[in-house]
Amino acid sequence: MVDDIHHPEHDPASDPEAIEELLEADAVDIDFDEMVEAAAATVDPAEQPTAAGSSVDAAVVADLERQVAGLKAQLEDRANQSMRIAADFENYRKRTSKEKDELATQIKGDTIIELLPVVDNFERARSQIKPQTEAEMTIHKSYQSVYKQLVETLKRLGVSAMRAEGQEFDPLLHEAVMREPTADHPEGAVIEEFVRGYQLGDRVLRHAMVKVAAPPEDGPNNVDLAEGSAS
């Protein structure tokens, strides 16, 4: 009778060791850090909350935009101001350079004016002194070589002598110290030069002193001839 009693089969769930073996066999290695990073990657950054837990305030953005616009305007104003300063400096540089050149020309011209009487004396000596002996000729040639050197130096400085004789009288270049009635030259022509004039470029250093032709005067013979022709 005892052998007929039914004994239930062994249930693994009732054995703790068996349960542990099943758990170890079915265990899955789970990396929680990877799961968090994967979940964070699927979230839109715009949808993430700010550090303060709220969205960016539109008023703050507008204020920042106004500040940026103001800084741009200041930058543009500074750039324009720098351009104006550069233009003013360039004009100042050109003006001072021109004034410097004009001053140098003025000083050079004033110095040359003081030397012109020396040139006149050399020319008078050449025209008036007539050497007779060999010794006199040697002296004459020596001071004339100095005169030639002086003239060449003046030419290199830009000085030019006027050639007034035979030219029409020009009050900007000539100074009339005498008028001579004549029928041999047209009225207003320079017929003789007493003192030579000089120029430095376009500047007149000294006006030429000249004699100018005037229309001929009617003399007594001319009057009688005219009356005889009328009768």
Side-chain angles (χ1 to χ4, degrees), residues 8-179:
E9 296 181 358
H10 179 69
D11 186 1
S14 61
D15 189 353
E17 295 180 0
I19 293 174
E20 184 177 356
E21 293 177 358
L22 290 173
L23 291 176
E24 291 178 357
D26 296 336
V28 179
D29 188 10
I30 299 175
D31 191 343
F32 288 97
D33 292 335
E34 292 183 358
M35 293 178 65
V36 172
E37 291 178 359
T42 60
V43 179
D44 189 357
E47 296 177 354
Q48 294 182 3
T50 61
S54 60
S55 60
V56 179
D57 191 356
V60 175
V61 174
D63 183 62
L64 292 175
E65 290 178 349
R66 285 193 298 270
Q67 293 182 19
V68 171
L71 291 174
K72 287 183 177 180
Q74 292 180 13
L75 180 61
E76 184 177 357
D77 182 66
R78 294 295 186 275
N80 293 335
Q81 185 177 4
S82 299
M83 292 177 63
R84 288 194 298 270
I85 292 174
D88 292 340
F89 178 77
E90 182 65 17
N91 293 334
Y92 169 77
R93 187 189 65 79
K94 291 180 179 179
R95 184 173 64 254
T96 53
S97 178
K98 182 179 179 181
E99 292 174 354
K100 180 181 178 181
D101 293 340
E102 291 176 351
L103 179 60
T105 303
Q106 179 69 34
I107 294 174
K108 182 167 66 174
D110 294 343
T111 304
I112 293 172
I113 289 174
E114 297 297 325
L115 294 175
L116 292 180
V118 180
V119 179
D120 296 337
N121 290 333
F122 273 113
E123 291 180 348
R124 292 191 187 97
R126 184 178 61 178
S127 62
Q128 296 176 4
I129 298 177
K130 305 297 181 182
Q132 301 295 327
T133 64
E134 184 177 351
E136 291 177 350
M137 180 60 68
T138 302
I139 297 174
H140 178 75
K141 289 181 178 180
S142 64
Y143 76 75
Q144 286 301 314
S145 64
V146 176
Y147 164 71
K148 182 179 180 181
Q149 183 179 5
L150 178 59
V151 171
E152 293 296 328
T153 302
L154 293 177
K155 287 181 179 180
R156 286 195 298 271
L157 293 174
V159 179
S160 59
M162 299 180 190
R163 302 300 176 184
E165 190 170 343
Q167 303 295 321
E168 184 179 358
F169 176 77
D170 185 350
L172 298 178
L173 304 176
H174 311 139
E175 180 180 350
V177 295
M178 185 180 297
R179 289 173 62 86

Side-chain angles (χ1 to χ4, degrees), residues 157-160 199-204:
L157 293 174
V159 179
S160 59
Q199 290 179 278
L200 177 61
D202 295 333
R203 177 190 173 189
V204 177

